[in-house]
């Protein structure tokens, strides 16, 4: 099979760029116009291609980096590479996909979680909180949940948007997954009022933590 080149993939992505999609994405801070479903189709065709992923990432192009995330081999990166790439992931979608599809699957996830939580850059710190939310759900043993709630209560209200969103997600997951901390999580959400007025489409759950927690717990009990 002929090896696909970075130039060939970039040409394919350029052909898929839709100005209307780009305009919508740019409102959310993402400077690309490629339909994500089409992007996933390309990734499915290419399968895992670590060298190609590195080449696509190096272009700095947002659509190319999203595709790079999908075709990369997470365990092939060392800790310093992951840290550097996270800091380069300045658009929200690249940042989100990189954390979820690469860092979470890496053997360095826990070390980076701890390092990023303490990082002064709020965008980097938000990745630490995203990894913490994942542990709250999947591997809570060893986490200081009351301590996390202390930090959220003290800092979430005044945090920059992306960090605030990530902390709020963690607050909600603690309340949903851990009944012994649910009342406090809801009380923190009620007091801080973070995302209370967030515009929520019909049939979607509000990201306001008290509503989010209550609704998810209700659904589980209804099952």
């Amino acid at each position: 099979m002929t090896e696909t080149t970075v130039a060939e993939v970039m040409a394919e992505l350029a052909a898929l760029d839709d100005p209307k999609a780009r305009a919508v994405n740019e409102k959310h801070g993402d400077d690309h116009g490629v339909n994500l479903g089409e992007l996933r189709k390309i990734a499915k065709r290419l399968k895992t291609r670590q060298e190609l992923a590195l080449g696509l990432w190096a272009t700095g192009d947002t659509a190319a980096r999203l595709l790079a995330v999908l075709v990369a081999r997470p365990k092939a990166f060392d800790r310093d590479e992951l840290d550097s790439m996270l800091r380069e992931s300045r658009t929200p979608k690249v940042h989100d996909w990189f954390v979820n599809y690469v860092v979470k699957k890496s053997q360095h996830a826990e070390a980076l979680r701890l390092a990023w939580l303490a990082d002064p850059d709020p965008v980097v710190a938000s990745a630490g909180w995203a990894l913490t939310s994942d542990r709250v759900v999947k591997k809570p043993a060893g986490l200081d949940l009351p301590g996390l709630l202390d930090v959220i209560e003290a800092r979430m209200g005044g945090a920059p948007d992306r960090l605030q969103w990530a902390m709020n997600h963690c607050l909600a997951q603690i309340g949903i997954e851990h009944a012994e901390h649910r009342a406090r999580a809801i009380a923190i959400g009620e007091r801080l009022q973070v995302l209370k007025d967030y515009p929520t489409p019909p049939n979607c759950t509000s990201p306001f933590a008290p509503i989010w927690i209550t609704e998810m717990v209700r659904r589980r009990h209804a099952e």
Side-chain angles (χ1 to χ4, degrees):
M1 183 173 66
T2 304
E3 191 68 24
T4 306
T5 68
V6 171
E8 288 169 343
V9 176
M10 294 302 292
E12 187 171 1
L13 292 175
L16 290 171
D17 193 274
D18 177 0
K20 290 182 179 178
R22 179 176 287 272
V24 171
N25 289 333
E26 285 179 345
K27 292 180 181 178
H28 303 287
D30 295 306
D31 55 347
H32 77 94
V34 180
N35 178 279
L36 297 181
E38 295 300 318
L39 203 67
R40 291 182 186 278
K41 288 179 184 177
I42 297 173
K44 187 176 182 180
R45 186 186 78 228
L46 293 172
K47 299 183 170 61
T48 302
R49 301 277 187 93
Q50 182 68 5
E51 290 305 313
L52 179 62
L54 294 174
L56 290 170
W57 187 273
T59 67
D61 178 80
T62 293
R65 285 187 164 181
L66 290 172
L67 183 57
V69 165
L70 296 177
V71 301
R73 184 177 293 109
K75 295 185 185 300
F77 296 103
D78 65 31
R79 174 178 166 164
D80 288 344
E81 285 177 310
L82 293 171
D83 182 72
S84 177
M85 292 170 77
L86 187 279
R87 293 174 192 279
E88 295 170 2
S89 304
R90 306 312 291 183
T91 63
K93 186 64 71 176
V94 172
H95 181 276
D96 182 54
W97 279 24
F98 184 72
V99 171
N100 282 290
Y101 299 152
V102 178
V103 180
K104 284 182 182 179
K105 298 177 182 178
S106 162
Q107 63 270 39
H108 305 292
E110 179 60 13
L112 289 169
R113 181 185 77 83
L114 295 171
W116 290 342
L117 273 177
D119 200 278
D121 183 330
V123 176
V124 175
S126 73
W129 280 98
L131 293 172
T132 301
S133 294
D134 193 57
R135 268 204 65 183
V136 165
V137 176
K138 297 177 181 176
K139 194 179 179 182
L143 283 180
D144 178 9
L145 297 179
L148 288 172
L149 290 174
D150 289 344
V151 174
I152 291 169
E153 187 167 24
R155 301 180 186 173
M156 183 173 74
D161 287 350
R162 283 167 67 181
L163 177 55
Q164 185 181 72
W165 185 275
M167 294 176 82
N168 183 72
H169 189 193
C170 190
L171 174 66
Q173 293 297 358
I174 291 172
I176 292 164
E177 300 292 335
H178 301 278
E180 69 274 24
H181 299 295
R182 188 168 297 145
R184 186 181 175 202
I186 291 173
I188 290 171
E190 291 286 5
R191 187 173 75 79
L192 297 181
Q193 298 284 289
V194 167
L195 300 175
K196 183 177 182 180
D197 299 322
Y198 190 83
T200 305
N203 301 318
C204 291
T205 303
S206 169
F208 179 49
I211 294 176
W212 188 357
I213 294 167
T214 302
E215 175 60 17
M216 295 310 295
V217 171
R218 183 196 67 77
R219 290 183 191 179
R220 289 185 179 181
H221 289 163
E223 290 177 355

